[in-house]
Amino acid sequence: MQYRAKGLTVSYGARTVLRDVSFTAEAGEVTAIVGPNGSGKTTLLRTLSGEIAHSGTVTINGQDADRMHPRDRALHRAVLPQSGSIAFPFNVLELVRLGLTAGLASADPGEGDRIVMAAIAKVGLEGYGSRMVQELSGGERQRAQLARVLVQIWQPVLDGQPRWLMLDEPVSALDIRHQLTIMRLAQDYARGGGGVIAVMHDLNLTAMFADRVSLLYEGQLQRSGPPKEVLNDHDLSICYNCPVRVNTPPPGGGPWVLPQSMV
Amino acid sequence: MVAVAQMDDQPGLTGDRRGRAAALRFGLIALLILMLLLGLGWGAAGDTQVLAALGSKFGLAEASLRDTTIIWDIRMPRVLTAVLVGAALAVSGAVMQGLFRNPLADPGLVGVSAGAGFGAVAAIVLGGFLPVAVLSVVGAYLVPFAAFLGGWASTLILYAIATRGGRTSVATMLLAGIALGALTGALTGFIVYRATDDQLRDLTFWGMGSVAGATWMKLLTAGPVIALGLIAAPVLARALDALALGESVAAHLGIDTQLMKRLAILSVALSVGASVAITGGIGFVGIVVPHVLRLLQGPEHRNLLPNCAILGAIILLAADMISRTVVAPAELPIGIVTATMGGPFFLWILLKNRHILDI
């Protein structure tokens, strides 16, 4: 089962932000979208999630995403935006409970509460239920939002179909410990049979956690494949317009990116 | 707030305020019943036997003709009007605040109040120019009817301006509302400028709002329209919660945002349009009631909207009793009472909660 896009083109007015992008994410994998600022990463994620008008097609597990009812789409994929504000004094529990908006797989009324509690625990916010969202630190707020997103698609597989976790720079506001916690959580979701599509800034975290990487440059898909192939000196140096050298230190043997001096 | 929040937590489900909202609703319903009885008994006519007069209608008790007339024909429509209008204003306020994601939004933002004001003023001043045959048919309903039409026309214009390619921008609606408000204000001013002294008096009192003119006939005409708007509110609850996170997140959560925006605007235009038509402009209920309840029980609309309806009704009943009392035997327009109570109270809440309000 796949999350696919074919021939996506998106324009804001006269400016074309995505040009004929074809993209595939496989269930059971973490697919990272990387690229320099302004390369169209977030636009691609937002188009995949159904937020932006586009030409070309998007399919979720083979179904045309644009023809799905919003509620049906919400049961198949959940989206964590880059930054979010909340109006009104919601507390953490109430924010996370919003993940149940589209409804539940089971009809058991207690199920919702159990999932909400489990999600809060999973992002490490036990005991924060009554804290006001506005009073949280940036990192705590990001984790609370992630818990809300997880609640929406709690079981990675529903009726034999994978569900999709879409993350837009999920760890940019987090310290290193929480970066690892969140990325591991995303990886677990994929190992459980779901799919993860994440816009990433940090190439080393990408190398550690992604199964597949799509490299965007000026609104076009430059390369796509396993991290070892995509994260190479040549492509990264051109796309990021900055000389980089990809190394492989002993532990794990994954690629490792070190920006070089620009002079 | 935090200390109270922790007191009634269920074990494990820290921060759950649903129980508190339910308890609050129970208390508010009891208070509403008390206020209804008080509202029926309150007035210049001395000691009317409220319960006896109520029961006499159903053959349960004996009451004088004077008492039954006062209770059933004069006070009952008035009290029920206050209940219905109070509920409509408070619920519409909460719906608008949810839609605009701003605690200061007011039912008037969809243009319904400005348009209704213009309609009423036009009817009061220009109604005399209508042919006698028309006037004899519409009679006392000319002003409410014109107000309702004016409110609707202005909401429809705003909606059309703010909708492009099937998507309504609430920000455009807000800004266009300010422009349209200024325009209707100018037109209203022009008509007021041409008004006679008697008409000016009518205009002034209409703007202050009153439930004193309530009759069964008016209530039965406007009541179903107001109720129709109120019925839509529970359908909106889930969408309004999701909209707190912004329109795109609400769509991610599975909300058909365009449908819900349309429904919200329609329900507010219906219930506030009909309310303003029969009572004139009554301010502050729509802002203060939802705000107080959000502080007491949290912002989840499933619990907020019903409690707003009950508290809005209570507030307007109380304001009506005050308006009947302070300058007795005359009556103060109810809008003056709600603004006098609501203004300082609202300031006090604002100052006290500056740290949580993200305005």
Side-chain angles (χ1 to χ4, degrees):
Chain A
M1 289 288 189
Q2 294 170 326
Y3 207 121
R4 292 187 73 157
K6 247 187 170 166
L8 283 191
T9 297
V10 172
S11 307
Y12 294 145
R15 205 163 59 90
T16 303
V17 193
L18 286 183
R19 207 183 307 265
D20 194 25
V21 172
S22 291
F23 169 93
T24 306
E26 299 278 346
E29 288 187 354
V30 175
T31 305
I33 301 170
V34 299
N37 290 334
S39 58
K41 304 186 294 291
T42 295
T43 305
L44 175 57
L45 192 84
R46 289 174 61 194
T47 311
L48 290 171
S49 74
E51 205 181 317
I52 298 180
H54 58 85
S55 58
T57 55
V58 176
T59 54
I60 308 175
N61 304 337
Q63 278 189 72
D64 186 345
D66 294 314
R67 284 162 189 251
M68 289 165 86
H69 187 271
R71 184 178 170 274
D72 198 24
R73 210 158 36 196
L75 290 172
H76 281 84
R77 60 101 184 88
V79 189
L80 180 70
Q82 215 170 93
S83 64
S85 66
I86 188 164
F88 308 118
F90 276 82
N91 67 26
V92 171
L93 178 77
E94 289 156 352
L95 168 66
V96 176
R97 199 147 56 195
L98 284 176
L100 298 172
T101 300
L104 270 176
S106 104
D108 173 14
E111 177 78 357
D113 284 347
R114 275 196 295 279
I115 292 178
V116 166
M117 273 164 61
I120 290 177
K122 201 158 195 169
V123 298
L125 288 177
E126 295 109 322
Y128 278 63
S130 58
R131 293 269 295 273
M132 291 298 156
V133 178
Q134 276 99 335
E135 293 169 355
L136 299 177
S137 74
E140 288 165 346
R141 206 180 292 194
Q142 178 77 343
R143 284 186 283 145
Q145 293 278 12
L146 180 64
R148 162 181 75 74
V149 169
L150 284 174
V151 162
Q152 189 180 334
I153 47 164
W154 186 246
Q155 303 88 350
V157 179
L158 182 66
D159 300 331
Q161 295 216 357
R163 306 217 269 182
W164 299 86
L165 182 58
M166 310 180 88
L167 310 167
D168 193 357
E169 292 184 26
V171 295
S172 45
L174 302 179
D175 59 41
I176 42 176
R177 184 172 91 89
H178 287 114
Q179 286 185 353
L180 294 176
T181 316
I182 298 307
M183 289 314 295
R184 216 164 276 146
L185 208 145
Q187 204 171 37
D188 284 350
Y189 194 82
R191 298 296 173 260
V196 177
I197 302 170
V199 169
M200 297 290 294
H201 244 316
D202 188 320
L203 295 172
N204 291 310
L205 277 176
T206 305
M208 282 167 76
F209 289 99
D211 300 298
R212 191 175 291 267
V213 180
S214 289
L215 176 61
L216 281 181
Y217 179 60
E218 293 185 344
Q220 284 179 297
L221 190 67
Q222 205 63 23
R223 256 185 105 91
S224 176
K228 279 186 183 171
E229 284 173 21
V230 177
L231 303 178
N232 62 65
D233 296 2
H234 178 254
D235 285 324
L236 290 183
S237 300
I238 290 177
C239 288
Y240 283 84
N241 191 20
C242 167
V244 297
R245 183 165 302 153
V246 180
N247 302 284
T248 40
W256 183 63
V257 182
L258 183 64
Q260 307 289 298
S261 159
M262 297 201 40
V263 238
Chain B
M1 281 306 289
V2 174
V4 183
Q6 274 156 3
M7 249 165 42
D8 54 8
D9 282 342
Q10 292 171 18
L13 210 56
T14 319
D16 198 357
R17 295 187 273 189
R18 286 176 294 192
R20 194 173 349 161
L24 196 60
R25 182 171 320 164
F26 190 71
L28 285 174
I29 289 173
L31 188 59
L32 177 63
I33 294 170
L34 183 75
M35 292 294 290
L36 272 172
L37 291 175
L38 267 175
L40 287 171
W42 201 273
D47 57 334
T48 10
Q49 300 293 314
V50 177
L51 291 177
L54 281 177
S56 69
K57 197 85 172 177
F58 309 102
L60 297 171
E62 294 275 318
S64 66
L65 181 64
R66 168 185 167 275
D67 280 6
T68 27
T69 308
I70 289 177
I71 299 296
W72 280 101
D73 295 343
I74 300 173
R75 289 196 193 145
M76 189 62 94
R78 173 177 191 148
V79 160
L80 291 182
T81 300
V83 167
L84 212 52
V85 170
L89 292 176
V91 170
S92 302
V95 169
M96 282 294 103
Q97 287 146 25
L99 184 67
F100 286 95
R101 308 181 66 222
N102 190 318
L104 292 179
D106 175 89
L109 277 185
V110 291
V112 64
S113 310
F118 175 69
V121 167
I124 290 169
V125 177
L126 307 175
F129 294 114
L130 286 174
V132 183
V134 176
L135 273 181
S136 64
V137 177
V138 283
Y141 297 99
L142 180 64
V143 173
F145 187 65
F148 185 70
L149 273 187
W152 259 100
S154 126
T155 303
L156 287 181
I157 291 171
L158 269 188
Y159 182 80
I161 291 174
T163 307
R164 223 357 89 76
R167 281 178 69 95
T168 308
S169 153
V170 288
T172 309
M173 192 148 180
L174 185 77
L175 292 171
I178 293 170
L180 201 67
L183 187 65
T184 42
L187 285 173
T188 308
F190 182 73
I191 297 175
V192 168
Y193 184 73
R194 309 285 303 162
T196 64
D197 284 357
D198 278 351
Q199 289 169 338
L200 278 180
R201 199 183 140 76
D202 286 351
L203 291 177
T204 312
F205 278 106
W206 190 87
M208 291 171 180
S210 170
V211 288
T215 60
W216 278 114
M217 194 58 205
K218 277 190 196 170
L219 185 62
L220 291 176
T221 318
V225 184
I226 299 178
L228 201 64
L230 284 175
I231 289 167
V235 183
L236 290 167
R238 205 176 265 264
L240 292 173
D241 282 345
L243 278 171
L245 291 164
E247 227 177 287
S248 62
V249 176
H252 292 154
L253 285 166
I255 299 294
D256 186 341
T257 48
Q258 185 59 27
L259 179 71
M260 288 298 142
K261 275 188 277 190
R262 210 173 287 167
L263 191 61
I265 292 165
L266 184 77
S267 78
V268 168
L270 276 178
S271 61
V272 176
S275 297
V276 174
I278 54 169
T279 62
I282 298 175
F284 267 110
V285 178
I287 289 188
V288 174
V289 170
H291 195 82
V292 170
L293 286 174
R294 253 184 237 116
L295 288 172
L296 289 175
Q297 61 169 56
E300 286 183 320
H301 287 85
R302 209 166 323 164
N303 302 315
L304 183 67
L305 295 176
N307 285 4
C308 274
I310 307 169
L311 186 58
I314 293 173
I315 298 280
L316 220 56
L317 279 173
D320 182 38
M321 279 188 255
I322 294 172
S323 81
R324 286 189 240 168
T325 316
V326 276
V327 290
E331 285 193 12
L332 201 61
I334 196 167
I336 297 180
V337 180
T338 55
T340 315
M341 296 193 308
F345 186 63
F346 191 57
L347 271 180
W348 174 70
I349 300 174
L350 268 183
L351 294 175
K352 200 165 152 268
N353 295 288
R354 259 188 297 204
H355 65 291
I356 354 182
L357 291 173
D358 196 13
I359 305 174

